[in-house]
Amino acid sequence: MDLPVMPPVKPMLAKSVATIPPDMQYEAKWDGFRAIVFRDGDEVELGSRTGKPLTRYFPELVEALRERLPQRCVVDGEIVIAREGHLDFDALTERIHPADSRVRMLAEKTPASFVTFDLLALDDESLLDVPLGDRRARLERALSGVTPPVHLAPATTDRAVAERWFEQYEGAGLDGVIAKPLSGRYRPDERVMYKIKHERTADVVVAGYRFHKSGPVVGSLLLGLHDDQGALQHVGVSAAFPMKRRAELVQELEPLRMDDVAGHPWAAWSDEVAHETARLPGAPSRWSGRKDLSWVPLRPERVAEVAYDHMENGVRFRHTARFLRWRPDRTPESCTYAQLEEPVRYDLSEILGTPD
């Protein structure tokens, strides 16, 4: 492979802001695996956000990209999997598997797509120092008429359209809106874009915690919600606390600490079979490896209000929730899934049709 921009390249990143800024290019924020694709003739490589290759995990995409991208180019985009018109991040994570046979089986069962939104190089020219507006125009020409599973991400300079996308696209599983300065150059691994994400609040039961890697202070709070049958399901964690607050939380939660997990709603957490029918902390996975998944059980009596962006498959927080405050006025039994706002469904095909 001999390209003007060579792997590994870490993608350009975004910083969070509360509102959509004016006078920029706007795109949907895709909820998948960020990837930079390098193509030089028959050679295709998919680089991850960390710069490590993803190529072996998506053999069906390698072939599709070889057929649909320009002969020599470097493009930035997102690997996604869609089911029934909605992004499915869980199906995507299943693809990162050491067994080649399973990867190829899943490539047929749940094929991935690639959504392209930036152009870093074309033929013998590096475009890293070309303004975004010009890069976008060249990307549109290069991918004119491209067919699935490779897509050109919709983009607009109309803020009103971006605000409408922010409201509508969440129903297709997207994560918000990205705003990019039109004069901006491509800056690998720098936060020079802006992301605007959905944020909602929920009252949750704090039913345990894990220690911090640095010592006997709280690393993360384990959060739960009651389902329709009244069972407490593990829905995620809240983990961003100053070190002083982590130590205070240990003392604050000490009266609720249980001597052992017996009698706790998540008592079966270490039984792998139990995870098939209930959402419990410490689910075994290839991601956890040898990581210590043990936790301190608390009597599930304390309620906290947390902020979250959106739910994964309607059952858990997609990302780490942000602790806001304790809610002594709420009972644990009132913390149910029913309080969560459901986004209006939106068909992904409406987004990946034609650019605005």
Side-chain angles (χ1 to χ4, degrees):
M1 183 174 287
D2 183 17
L3 293 165
V5 176
M6 291 288 289
V9 173
K10 293 184 177 181
M12 188 164 62
L13 303 175
K15 62 182 107 178
S16 293
V17 293
T19 59
I20 299 174
D23 304 322
M24 295 195 180
Q25 175 177 294
Y26 309 104
E27 303 167 13
K29 186 179 184 303
W30 299 90
D31 191 20
F33 287 169
R34 185 77 174 275
I36 294 182
V37 177
F38 304 82
R39 185 195 174 188
D40 186 4
D42 288 338
E43 294 183 83
V44 175
E45 182 171 326
L46 281 65
S48 72
R49 178 169 172 168
T50 62
K52 295 180 179 180
L54 289 167
T55 314
R56 69 172 296 269
Y57 302 116
F58 299 95
E60 80 282 22
L61 270 189
V62 171
E63 184 60 32
L65 291 163
R66 185 181 291 120
E67 293 176 355
R68 291 163 175 81
L69 291 184
Q71 280 284 322
R72 303 183 70 251
C73 67
V74 180
V75 296
D76 188 1
E78 199 100 358
I79 301 171
V80 298
I81 289 179
R83 284 181 175 175
E84 300 178 354
H86 194 273
L87 293 183
D88 189 336
F89 191 80
D90 280 350
L92 196 62
T93 60
E94 291 175 3
R95 298 295 295 275
I96 310 301
H97 198 280
D100 184 67
S101 59
R102 179 167 177 79
V103 168
R104 293 192 175 276
M105 181 273 288
L106 290 173
E108 294 184 9
K109 182 180 177 182
T110 54
S113 299
F114 188 75
V115 183
T116 310
F117 44 68
D118 211 336
L119 183 63
L120 280 62
L122 185 63
D123 297 327
D124 293 324
E125 183 182 3
S126 168
L127 303 180
L128 296 181
D129 288 324
V130 172
L132 170 66
D134 294 335
R135 295 202 312 272
R136 175 70 192 192
R138 294 182 66 167
L139 177 65
E140 291 178 358
R141 291 195 297 270
L143 295 188
S144 175
V146 72
T147 58
V150 179
H151 304 270
L152 175 63
T156 183
T157 55
D158 188 329
R159 188 182 181 189
V161 172
E163 290 172 346
R164 187 171 74 245
W165 287 356
F166 184 78
E167 298 300 327
Q168 291 180 330
Y169 284 5
E170 186 186 13
L174 277 73
D175 213 11
V177 167
I178 293 287
K180 303 177 179 180
L182 285 163
S183 61
R185 273 61 173 171
Y186 196 94
R187 293 294 176 254
D189 205 31
E190 293 184 20
R191 295 190 180 277
V192 292
M193 307 183 295
Y194 304 93
K195 57 184 177 183
I196 307 91
K197 300 177 66 174
H198 297 273
E199 184 173 89
R200 297 174 171 85
T201 63
D203 294 329
V204 295
V205 181
V206 176
Y209 64 84
R210 289 195 177 98
F211 283 115
H212 194 266
K213 60 183 179 181
S214 67
V217 296
V218 168
S220 60
L221 299 177
L222 306 186
L223 313 176
L225 288 173
H226 289 97
D227 63 20
D228 292 340
Q229 286 72 48
L232 187 66
Q233 305 288 352
H234 176 55
V235 294
V237 301
S238 183
F241 302 100
M243 191 56 67
K244 180 182 177 182
R245 182 59 179 148
R246 294 182 188 278
E248 293 172 347
L249 282 169
V250 173
Q251 299 302 315
E252 200 169 330
L253 296 171
E254 183 62 27
L256 298 174
R257 185 166 176 169
M258 300 172 65
D259 292 334
D260 59 59
V261 78
H264 193 282
W266 300 336
W269 74 278
S270 60
D271 181 358
E272 187 171 344
V273 176
H275 289 266
E276 297 176 4
T277 55
R279 293 204 57 81
L280 306 170
S285 74
R286 59 187 171 278
W287 303 103
S288 55
R290 297 181 179 179
K291 183 179 178 181
D292 181 11
L293 299 177
S294 61
W295 52 284
V296 176
L298 301 174
R299 294 198 310 277
E301 300 172 3
R302 198 81 180 266
V303 175
E305 183 180 4
V306 298
Y308 68 98
D309 47 16
H310 68 273
M311 302 295 290
E312 181 67 29
N313 293 330
V315 296
R316 65 175 180 178
F317 298 137
R318 169 70 179 85
H319 301 105
T320 301
R322 182 165 58 87
F323 182 91
L324 297 177
R325 55 178 174 160
W326 294 115
R327 290 297 303 265
D329 57 322
R330 294 295 302 270
T331 64
E333 294 76 20
S334 69
C335 300
T336 69
Y337 281 97
Q339 69 181 295
L340 304 181
E341 179 183 349
E342 290 291 332
V344 177
R345 294 284 295 190
Y346 194 84
D347 196 325
L348 193 63
S349 64
E350 295 292 326
I351 304 171
L352 295 176
T354 56
D356 180 78

